[in-house]
Amino acid sequence: MIQNKWKVLITVAVTTMTATMDASITNIAFPVLTRVFETEVSVVMWVTVAFVLVSTSSMLIIGKIGDMIGRKRIFLAGIIVFTLGLSACALAGSIGQLIFFRALQAVGAAMTISCGAAIVTEAFPPHEVGKGLGSMGVSVSLGFIAGPIVGGLLLDVLDWRSIFYVRVPLGVAAFVMAILFLDTDQPKPGKIRLDFLGALISSTGLFLLVFGVSQMRDYGPASLRVFLLAGLGLSLIVVFVFFEGRAQNPIVDPALFKDKIFSSAMGGLFLHFVAVPSYMLIIPFYLMVGLGMRASEAGMLMAATSVTTMVFGPVSGWLSDRFGPPWFAAIGAAAAALSFLLMLWFDLQSSATTIAPVFIVLGVGAGTFQPANNSIIMSAVDREHLGTASALIATQRQVGIAVGMALTGTLYASWQGRYQEGFLQRGFDGTHASEMAIPLAFHNVVLISIFLNVVVVALSLVPLWTRGEKQEQG
């Protein structure tokens, strides 16, 4: 049977949208969960923290298993686990139960996300991989956009449980579609061997690293807690890399990173997501505290970025198939750098009409960079490693955002405190001093995002230089 690439794409997109909607639709319920369960925000935050930690630390091993036993099996099992997790969350009777069920749900999300890009890559011919991955990116943006809107409506009309059980039918539909439209897995010859020690080391290392850097905002980068957790996690990752070079069946084949094209694209992807939190994390404070916007106004303004990303994703994918992904990855990173450069002119007098175009430029950058970058990565590996590459993309995204959030939050809070203290010493009252410090501190973290995206531009062009070297040698 000839696989219908578009049916496969829609199946993966529905599942991806349901998973990406999860973070934003859950976060908006934090105030309600705090009140219902009569607990602190610091406890409720574990509803999201547990999900991120478990999903991030399990993606690599799940991607490897998908390469070994078949991606359709893992994808179907992931949909089942994720959907059961949604149902269990809706029935949770305590905050502890909810956090546990969210961890279970995270395993299902990791199973679908780690295989999604690989399934789409296999479904599309090599000259259309960018188009497929770019179109899949629409579902990611749609999930982020729909989450707060749908979550807000459900919380107003129903109750907090509804943000989980209303998505169960989507999970059931995705499962049926996967059975009907995904090709049957081909059994692998020989005995299947899994590197259990490597799986344990990598999962533990990623878990501790992400958890450690997430504590930076609360305890500071120099705290013993952060140093021990993140340091131990990083040490385990180094041990994992050393160990994999000698393992018979490595979770991640070290030979993949010997390819300059693959390793540069992976590095660019990681830095791109490290740079994003200066927008994700700080812009809401700037809009709502600095400019005095309502939450709904700030949300609508920030939606301009997601909508633009959703529009430009498929366009970038199609163009990168036609003219080559390195150019469009570089153009996307350059557009992102330009958007952050323009943010240096944001102040307390900026209006929505001057801010929105900058957010649109950022959306153009993200929408252009990500499909082209993912196409470079997936095209650089053979069929046997597609699941691993797909899982690495998802892992780099999660770890990059976690590191970026921790660094951005810590640096922003430090700089804002210094600027605020300076304004207080000059005789301004507390409210005005706090407001005036926001754009100045924001500008400082934006400078870091500009630098990172310039580096991403250079890394995106590595495939062109590598190709030139090979032609000269030939």
Side-chain angles (χ1 to χ4, degrees):
M1 182 183 72
I2 298 176
Q3 190 179 52
N4 188 318
K5 60 188 179 184
W6 296 110
K7 290 180 180 178
V8 171
L9 175 63
I10 293 170
T11 302
V12 175
V14 169
T15 309
T16 302
M17 185 187 71
T18 306
T20 53
M21 187 191 295
D22 204 75
S24 53
I25 201 174
T26 305
N27 291 351
I28 201 169
F30 279 1
V32 177
L33 295 175
T34 303
R35 184 181 69 252
V36 169
F37 290 114
E38 298 180 347
T39 187
E40 300 294 327
V41 175
S42 58
V43 177
V44 171
M45 283 182 66
W46 274 92
V47 171
T48 293
V49 173
F51 185 93
V52 172
L53 289 175
V54 173
S55 61
T56 303
S57 60
S58 58
M59 283 180 184
L60 284 181
I61 177 63
I62 291 172
K64 177 64 176 180
I65 294 173
D67 283 338
M68 295 170 64
I69 69 172
R71 299 180 192 101
K72 180 177 180 178
R73 293 190 182 106
I74 297 297
F75 194 77
L76 285 170
I79 295 173
I80 292 173
V81 174
F82 185 82
T83 306
L84 288 175
L86 286 173
S87 303
C89 287
L91 298 172
S94 67
I95 190 64
Q97 289 180 10
L98 182 58
I99 292 169
F100 175 79
F101 293 141
R102 285 282 288 165
L104 172 67
Q105 191 187 347
V107 175
M111 295 171 81
T112 57
I113 293 172
S114 62
C115 295
I119 291 172
V120 171
T121 300
E122 273 193 310
F124 281 73
H127 63 279
E128 293 184 345
V129 169
K131 183 194 297 183
L133 294 174
S135 300
M136 190 179 80
V138 172
S139 62
V140 176
S141 298
L142 194 58
F144 283 125
I145 295 170
I149 298 171
V150 174
L153 290 173
L154 290 173
L155 290 171
D156 287 342
V157 177
L158 299 171
D159 63 1
W160 69 268
R161 298 180 190 276
S162 64
I163 67 174
F164 296 106
Y165 66 68
V166 296
R167 288 179 290 152
V168 171
L170 275 176
V172 174
F175 181 78
V176 173
M177 291 167 68
I179 290 177
L180 294 176
F181 301 144
L182 300 189
D183 275 351
T184 302
D185 293 319
Q186 299 298 320
K188 297 288 190 299
K191 187 176 180 181
I192 295 175
R193 298 178 182 274
L194 184 64
D195 178 14
F196 287 104
L197 182 58
L200 178 63
I201 295 173
S202 65
S203 297
T204 306
L206 286 169
F207 183 96
L208 290 173
L209 176 62
V210 174
F211 182 47
V213 296
S214 71
Q215 302 294 294
M216 200 179 291
R217 280 175 288 173
D218 295 328
Y219 297 94
S223 71
L224 181 62
R225 181 190 185 94
V226 171
F227 178 78
L228 289 177
L229 289 170
L232 181 57
L234 198 58
S235 299
L236 286 175
I237 292 173
V238 172
V239 171
F240 170 70
V241 172
F242 178 81
F243 184 80
E244 291 296 273
R246 290 155 178 76
Q248 289 186 342
N249 297 282
I251 300 298
V252 178
D253 188 348
L256 292 176
F257 289 93
K258 293 179 181 179
D259 185 329
K260 292 180 182 178
I261 294 176
F262 180 86
S263 56
S264 62
M266 275 292 179
L269 181 69
F270 176 75
L271 294 178
H272 172 77
F273 282 106
V274 172
V276 165
S278 62
Y279 167 80
M280 290 172 52
L281 183 65
I282 310 302
I283 279 291
F285 287 97
Y286 166 68
L287 296 178
M288 296 169 66
V289 180
L291 300 184
M293 289 187 181
R294 295 194 301 271
S296 58
E297 293 173 330
M300 290 296 291
L301 194 57
M302 293 182 71
T305 301
S306 297
V307 171
T308 309
T309 301
M310 187 170 63
V311 171
F312 273 80
V315 175
S316 170
W318 179 75
L319 289 174
S320 64
D321 286 334
R322 191 179 178 99
F323 301 105
W327 285 114
F328 289 91
I331 290 170
L338 174 61
S339 69
F340 285 117
L341 180 65
L342 293 173
M343 289 180 197
L344 291 176
W345 278 267
F346 286 2
D347 56 29
L348 296 179
Q349 284 72 47
S350 297
S351 64
T353 54
T354 59
I355 294 172
V358 178
F359 288 178
I360 290 173
V361 174
L362 180 59
V364 171
T368 304
F369 170 79
Q370 292 176 28
N373 171 270
N374 291 359
S375 182
I376 294 171
I377 292 170
M378 299 304 288
S379 299
V381 301
D382 56 35
R383 188 180 183 278
E384 298 300 313
H385 293 101
L386 284 176
T388 300
S390 178
L392 277 169
I393 289 173
T395 302
Q396 293 282 69
R397 180 173 61 241
Q398 293 280 68
V399 175
I401 290 176
V403 171
M405 290 283 251
L407 292 175
T408 299
T410 302
L411 293 173
Y412 173 79
S414 175
W415 278 321
Q416 188 195 19
R418 291 179 188 176
Y419 286 125
Q420 184 174 343
E421 182 63 29
F423 285 125
L424 288 171
Q425 291 177 359
R426 289 162 58 182
F428 290 93
D429 63 79
T431 301
H432 284 91
S434 177
E435 291 175 353
M436 289 188 294
I438 289 174
L440 296 175
F442 172 60
H443 293 163
N444 286 355
V445 294
V446 161
L447 286 171
I448 298 173
S449 294
I450 295 171
F451 172 76
L452 290 175
N453 275 288
V454 170
V455 175
V456 175
V457 171
L459 290 173
S460 298
L461 294 173
V462 167
L464 298 178
W465 300 329
T466 304
R467 191 182 306 154
E469 289 175 1
K470 289 181 179 179
Q471 289 175 349
E472 290 177 3
Q473 292 173 359

